[in-house]
Amino acid sequence: MLQVIRNSLYFGGVAALSDVSFSVERGEIFALIGPNGAGKTSMLNCISGLYHLSAGRIVFDGKDITRLPAYKRAELGIARAFQNIELFKHMTVLENLMLGRHVRMKSGVLAGGIYWGKAQKEEVEHRYAVEEIIDFLEIEHVRNMPVGTLAYGLQKRVEVGRALALEPKLLLLDEPMAGMNSEEKEDMARFILDIHEERETTIVLIEHDMGVVMELSQHVAVLDFGMLIGFGTPEEIQANPKVIQAYLGEESLLEVQG
Amino acid sequence: MTAVQSPFAIGCGDFRVNYTQDMAIYKNVRVRRRVIFLVILFFLFPILAPEYYVSLATMAGIASIGAIGLNILTGFTGQISLGVGAFLGVGGYASALLTTRLGIPFWFALPLSGIFTAGIGALFGIPSLRLKGLYLAMATLAAQVIIYFLFNHWDALTGGTGGLVVQRPSLAGFSLDSEMSYYYLMLVILILTALFTLNLFRSRVGRALVAVRDRDLAAEVMGIDLFKYKIIAFAVSSFFIGVSGSLMGHYTLVITPENYGTQISIEYLAMILIGGLGSVMGSIYGAAFITLLPVVLRELMTAVREVFPNLESIFIGIKEIIFGGIIIIFLIYESEGLAKMWRNLKDYIKLWPFSY
C-alpha cells in the first residue's frame, strides 16, 4: 500500500530523517514510535506532502508520489490528523467535516453561488455522509458549534472526523490520544479499531502509549535520531535490543540480557 | 377543543425535517418572512423618501457591493488587499471604454467590466501564494499605485486627469436618469450580489476559502490547492468590486482618477472592519456607515451653526480624526463589527427581560 524507500530529509545540516525505509500493508494498523525528536512527525509530513524529501521515494498504491503536492495526495486518498489540533476554528463541526469532503465534491464558484439544482443536491448528498461520521464519533451534540469553543478531547475527535470525511485509503494519525485521560483514550482506541474494521482503512499511527501501540498495531517501526532502528511485529519490537536501548538506556539493556 | 394560544407566545420548537431545510440561509420561517418584509420596504423606500435620501441610499448601496467584494477576499479568505480603489477604477474605466469607444450597451458592459476586473485582480493576486499578512498588503498597495499611475498618465486610454464622461444606461427606451430608477438598478444588483455571496459561503468553494483563512496548512492537507483558491478569491472579489466601480461610474457620470486613490482603498477596509469581517450583512452595514458618516457630520454642523458659529470650520478639519477615532473604537470594543453588535442586540431582545 505504502512504500517508504530510503527517505532522507535535511534541514540545513541537520538530518531529520536519514535513509528510512519501511512499508505499510493494505488494511493494517501501523504504528510509528520513537523518543521525542526522533522524526516521527517529519515522517508523516513527508508522507502527506507538507515536507519534500531530500532523497528517496514514496510509493502509494503503486504510484510514485514523491513529487506530488499535498493537495494532490489528498485527492489520491491520504488523509491526516495533526498532533497539535489544526482545525478551522471559526467553522462549525459540520463545516469542518464538510470541508473534509472537499475532494469528493465537484461544484465550482458559479454553481455554489447560484446554489440551485446540482450544487444543492451535492451538498445534501454529502451531508448524509458527514452525518454518518458524526454519529460514528458521537459528536451529535456539538455539530453546530464553532470548533474553537470545544473541549480538547472533542477537538481531537473532530480532527479525526475531518480526516475520515475524506474517505481515505490511508489515514495518518499523529498522536491521536496525546493529552487525554484514560477514558478518552479508550474511546479513541475504540474509534480507531472501528475505523479500521468497518471502513477497511489502512492506518498509520504515531503514539507514545506503548500499551496502546502493542494492542492495536500489526506492525511497528521505531525511529531514533531520524534513523530506523527497528521494524516488525509488536513482539519483535519488544525483544529488539536496539529499541530497548533507545527507550530505556544502555544499562537497562544489560539488565534485560543479564 | 383547540388550545388557546397566547398572542405573545412564539411558536415553540423550530423543526427542520430534512437537510435542505437545515442548510437554508434563513432557516426559520419567521426570520425569512422578516427578511422578505425588509426587502419590500427597501423597494418602497424611493417612493416614500425625498430624492436626496434616495441618492444617498444609492451611493451606500453601490459601495456595499464593493464592500461585499472586498470582504470575500479579506474577511472570508483572509488576504488583506489595499488595492480596492484601483480595482473600482478598473471597473469604472472598463465600463466607460466599452460603452463610449466600442458602443457596447451598458447591460453587457457591466458584467464585462466585472469580468475584466476579475482578470486584473487575479493577476495581482499571484503574489499571494508567497506573501502573507503585511507583505501581501504591501504587494496589493503596489498594484494600487501602479494602476493609479496608469489612470493618470495613460492619456490616450483614460483621458488622464480629466477622465472620461459616461451616460446613464437606458432600459427598453427608458433612460435611468432619475434617482429612483438608478436606485432600483442598484438594489437589484446588491440583492443578487448578497445572495450569491451567502450561497457561495455555504457551499464547497466558499468553505475552502474560509479554510484557507483559518488554517492554510490543514486546508492543503485536506485537498485544497491553496494557489488556485487564493486566485479564485481575488477573481470573485474583484468581479464585484469591478461591478461596483462600473455602477458608480455610470451614476456619477464622470470617471476621474481621484475617485480611485489609496484613501478609497482604506475607506473600504474601514467599511468591512466596522461592519464585520467575514459577514455579508456586515459589509452592507459598514458601507452604509462610512458613506453616511460624513453626511451626518455635515448635517450636525449645520444644525449647531446658529449656536456655535465657529464650530463648523474647526470640525471640517477634524472629520478625518473622527473617522479614524471611530475605527479605533471599533477595533478595541467590537472587533467583529456592526454585524456582531446587531446579533448581540437581537439576542438581548430575545431573552429580555430574563437575560440569564
Side-chain angles (χ1 to χ4, degrees):
Chain A
M1 176 103 198
L2 178 79
Q3 279 94 37
V4 168
I5 305 160
R6 310 203 60 175
N7 279 1
S8 296
L9 177 70
Y10 303 105
F11 294 115
V14 184
L17 294 172
S18 42
D19 213 17
V20 175
S21 301
F22 58 82
S23 66
V24 180
E25 317 243 321
R26 187 178 301 277
E28 73 170 341
I29 297 181
F30 184 97
L32 200 55
I33 63 172
N36 287 328
K40 305 180 297 290
T41 299
S42 296
M43 190 66 245
L44 279 204
N45 282 344
C46 289
I47 299 173
S48 57
L50 289 176
Y51 291 164
H52 286 277
L53 291 175
S54 312
R57 290 192 307 134
I58 297 175
V59 177
F60 173 69
D61 240 0
K63 200 173 160 190
D64 190 327
I65 58 166
T66 317
R67 296 274 148 241
L68 281 188
Y71 71 90
K72 287 219 166 123
R73 299 190 196 193
E75 285 167 16
L76 290 178
I78 300 179
R80 159 95 186 259
F82 291 85
Q83 177 182 4
N84 313 313
I85 295 162
E86 300 268 358
L87 288 165
F88 310 115
K89 59 174 188 249
H90 296 102
M91 292 161 75
T92 64
V93 171
L94 253 179
E95 286 168 332
N96 267 276
L97 296 195
M98 285 298 280
L99 186 110
R101 295 201 65 77
H102 184 83
V103 300
R104 301 275 168 250
M105 299 171 77
K106 278 195 282 295
S107 65
V109 177
L110 273 182
I114 295 162
Y115 203 79
W116 197 277
K118 240 171 131 185
Q120 186 176 23
K121 233 174 94 191
E122 188 183 40
E123 289 288 323
V124 172
E125 250 167 50
H126 287 263
R127 175 75 185 267
Y128 279 100
V130 162
E131 287 291 342
E132 216 169 89
I133 291 166
I134 289 179
D135 276 355
F136 170 68
L137 291 176
E138 297 158 19
I139 46 179
E140 297 93 337
H141 57 299
V142 293
R143 62 157 84 72
N144 284 317
M145 305 251 285
V147 290
T149 63
L150 298 182
Y152 176 82
L154 277 176
Q155 291 199 13
K156 275 278 194 195
R157 237 189 267 178
V158 175
E159 173 126 357
V160 172
R162 186 182 63 185
L164 265 189
L166 195 140
E167 287 176 20
K169 291 181 197 154
L170 176 65
L171 178 60
L172 310 172
L173 299 176
D174 195 346
E175 299 198 22
M177 300 170 200
M180 288 183 163
N181 62 32
S182 53
E183 194 184 330
E184 288 171 321
K185 271 189 189 177
E186 264 173 40
D187 280 344
M188 187 56 88
R190 181 163 54 85
F191 290 137
I192 292 171
L193 281 174
D194 285 350
I195 293 166
H196 176 240
E197 278 160 24
E198 288 171 21
R199 295 174 178 261
E200 289 164 6
T201 310
T202 310
I203 297 172
V204 173
L205 171 81
I206 295 181
E207 187 48 58
H208 279 296
D209 187 323
M210 282 309 131
V212 172
V213 169
M214 298 305 159
E215 285 281 318
L216 292 184
S217 53
Q218 276 93 58
H219 283 102
V220 181
V222 190
L223 289 175
D224 191 21
F225 294 112
M227 279 178 289
L228 188 76
I229 59 168
F231 174 59
T233 62
E235 294 76 32
E236 289 167 359
I237 292 299
Q238 274 170 317
N240 185 328
K242 273 195 193 160
V243 176
I244 298 170
Q245 192 182 340
Y247 266 89
L248 303 171
E250 194 95 28
E251 283 162 29
S252 45
L253 177 65
L254 296 174
E255 275 170 36
V256 170
Q257 285 173 337
Chain B
M1 182 186 146
T2 51
V4 180
Q5 202 183 9
S6 152
F8 300 105
I10 290 167
C12 166
D14 164 25
F15 300 111
R16 293 165 219 153
V17 293
N18 61 44
Y19 291 141
T20 315
Q21 283 173 13
D22 195 42
M23 288 148 81
I25 298 177
Y26 299 108
K27 298 178 175 70
N28 189 313
V29 181
R30 273 182 312 117
V31 177
R32 215 171 307 151
R33 266 191 224 134
R34 196 167 65 209
V35 171
I36 291 170
F37 177 70
L38 267 179
V39 169
I40 291 171
L41 274 191
F42 274 108
F43 270 98
L44 293 178
F45 174 72
I47 299 170
L48 306 169
E51 210 164 60
Y52 175 60
Y53 289 114
V54 177
S55 79
L56 285 179
T58 307
M59 299 285 274
I62 295 173
S64 299
I65 297 168
I68 291 176
L70 177 63
N71 222 335
I72 291 174
L73 182 65
T74 303
F76 286 103
T77 319
Q79 312 296 310
I80 301 174
S81 168
L82 282 173
V84 195
F87 292 141
L88 283 169
V90 171
Y93 278 104
S95 177
L97 291 172
L98 285 169
T99 51
T100 57
R101 298 273 170 90
L102 300 178
I104 293 173
F106 168 80
W107 306 104
F108 295 104
L110 180 71
L112 280 178
S113 55
I115 291 167
F116 183 70
T117 315
I120 301 285
L123 187 70
F124 283 102
I126 291 173
S128 68
L129 180 65
R130 299 266 171 208
L131 303 176
K132 281 182 189 170
L134 273 179
Y135 301 96
L136 180 63
M138 283 297 124
T140 54
L141 184 61
Q144 164 77 41
V145 173
I146 293 167
I147 296 174
Y148 185 70
F149 181 84
L150 288 180
F151 290 159
N152 265 312
H153 296 281
W154 195 351
D155 288 7
L157 201 65
T158 65
T161 46
L164 296 169
V165 177
V166 292
Q167 284 181 334
R168 284 283 169 90
S170 60
L171 186 62
F174 170 72
S175 170
L176 303 185
D177 278 330
S178 69
E179 290 295 344
M180 197 196 276
S181 57
Y182 212 83
Y183 172 88
Y184 282 124
L185 173 66
M186 172 286 292
L187 188 59
V188 168
I189 294 176
L190 175 59
I191 290 173
L192 290 177
T193 306
L195 274 180
F196 185 93
T197 313
L198 285 171
N199 280 334
L200 185 65
F201 287 98
R202 60 174 169 148
S203 61
R204 176 176 175 264
V205 176
R207 257 194 317 266
L209 296 181
V210 177
V212 170
R213 176 195 71 190
D214 271 11
R215 197 66 88 152
D216 52 356
L217 199 80
E220 201 182 359
V221 171
M222 297 315 295
I224 291 163
D225 181 352
L226 292 183
F227 185 57
K228 181 177 152 195
Y229 279 90
K230 283 180 180 175
I231 296 296
I232 286 179
F234 268 94
V236 175
S237 156
S238 305
F239 175 83
F240 289 121
I241 293 171
V243 166
S244 168
S246 165
L247 275 178
M248 190 61 95
H250 287 271
Y251 182 63
T252 56
L253 302 178
V254 291
I255 289 165
T256 52
E258 76 245 32
N259 293 329
Y260 307 121
T262 313
Q263 82 282 2
I264 301 290
S265 298
I266 311 270
E267 244 173 50
Y268 273 79
L269 271 182
M271 284 178 196
I272 61 169
L273 273 176
I274 289 175
L277 289 174
S279 157
V280 173
M281 293 318 287
S283 320
I284 299 175
Y285 305 150
F289 188 90
I290 296 289
T291 317
L292 301 183
L293 179 67
V295 181
V296 171
L297 283 179
R298 201 166 51 228
E299 297 284 320
L300 267 180
M301 290 314 114
T302 356
V304 297
R305 185 160 46 190
E306 305 294 311
V307 195
F308 307 105
N310 290 329
L311 201 61
E312 202 178 3
S313 57
I314 304 171
F315 253 94
I316 281 179
I318 63 172
K319 194 194 100 186
E320 308 290 324
I321 298 177
I322 294 179
F323 188 77
I326 286 174
I327 293 178
I328 292 171
I329 289 170
F330 265 97
L331 287 180
I332 294 174
Y333 291 104
E334 190 52 274
S335 55
E336 286 180 63
L338 288 168
K340 180 72 192 293
M341 287 167 81
W342 176 231
R343 256 199 320 276
N344 288 347
L345 184 69
K346 279 194 291 192
D347 289 346
Y348 179 78
I349 292 170
K350 212 184 282 174
L351 296 175
W352 190 86
F354 307 110
S355 44
Y356 292 100

